Amino acid sequence: MDELLPRYAVPTAPLDPVAVFGADLPVVLEIGSGYGESAVAYAQQHPHHGVIAAEVHVPGVATMMDRAEEEGLDNLRTHRGDAIEYLLECVGPDQLEAVHLFFPDPWPKARHAKRRFVQQDTLDMVLYRLRPGGHLLVATDHAAYAEHVREQLAAHPDVAVVEGERPAWRPSAGFEDKGRAAGREIHEFRITQRG
């Protein structure tokens, strides 16, 4: 963390892709990047996009930065902290190409459902920051969370949804592998602003 975070951390300041990546790249934000498997894979396969991986878990951030250094990835950065705070404080309208939310905490108990990331206000927050034509990808292996996502999307007037398309670039790792091993279905959502 001491060695790599100064190089890979994005500043807590208004997002400026040129300052962060050295070029005016389309920016993708991954929320809750874990150990960074998806963020690294996306950065590798989309070298003309800038990826910001937001994660609070220090070992996950450290592992992702180490991998980015090994792979020589200049288009991957991290925000070690809360993604909602970063969105609210640093990202302006139409600044993001995409937002990725893969296998978020499902908060399985009904009384905790309000803690789930996908809610009306967070959908508004993400949509406001997506460029025209941008998208939000959500994946979960929890059926109850998938149903919650469907309910929230159905209640939102400004979204169009495609369900069931798994991005070919995303590696199978972590929670996805655990979910499949336990016999759970992987639910995939691609959300765009209704135009």
Side-chain angles (χ1 to χ4, degrees):
M1 292 294 288
D2 289 344
E3 180 185 343
L4 296 179
L5 194 60
R7 176 177 168 195
Y8 286 100
V10 290
T12 306
L15 175 60
D16 177 355
V18 175
V20 171
F21 299 106
D24 190 14
L25 302 179
V27 177
V28 174
L29 175 68
E30 183 169 333
I31 296 173
S33 54
Y35 288 96
E37 297 96 342
S38 294
V40 166
Y42 188 91
Q44 287 172 321
Q45 295 181 46
H46 300 84
H48 301 298
H49 287 185
V51 180
I52 299 172
E55 177 58 61
V56 296
H57 186 238
V58 171
V61 173
T63 300
M64 185 195 69
M65 291 188 302
D66 191 49
R67 180 88 187 283
E69 172 115 41
E70 285 177 10
E71 301 287 337
L73 295 174
D74 292 328
N75 62 330
L76 179 60
R77 299 290 185 272
T78 187
H79 169 71
R80 193 183 72 76
D82 184 271
I84 290 179
E85 288 178 9
Y86 183 73
L87 280 165
L88 289 172
E89 294 173 14
C90 302
V91 184
D94 304 334
Q95 277 206 289
L96 298 176
E97 178 79 13
V99 174
H100 298 162
L101 179 70
F102 298 139
F103 306 94
D105 190 328
W107 295 103
K109 294 179 180 175
R111 69 177 183 271
H112 293 153
K114 64 182 177 294
R115 298 182 186 180
R116 295 170 179 162
F117 185 87
V118 178
Q119 307 284 351
Q120 297 301 297
D121 60 336
T122 48
L123 288 169
D124 287 341
M125 179 174 52
V126 168
L127 291 172
Y128 178 70
R129 287 157 177 82
L130 287 175
R131 67 160 185 78
H135 60 269
L136 165 64
L137 298 180
V138 179
T140 182
D141 63 320
H142 280 261
Y145 194 90
E147 191 53 39
H148 168 83
V149 171
R150 286 186 194 99
E151 290 169 1
Q152 292 297 315
L153 295 174
H156 199 287
D158 297 327
V159 299
V161 183
V162 174
E163 203 172 327
E165 291 182 0
R166 184 186 188 283
W169 55 263
R170 193 181 77 219
S172 180
F175 290 112
E176 182 168 2
D177 284 348
K178 289 177 187 173
R180 288 190 192 284
R184 294 193 292 268
E185 180 184 353
I186 308 301
H187 304 271
E188 307 271 0
F189 302 87
R190 181 185 178 93
I191 300 132
T192 55
Q193 191 148 14
R194 192 186 301 278

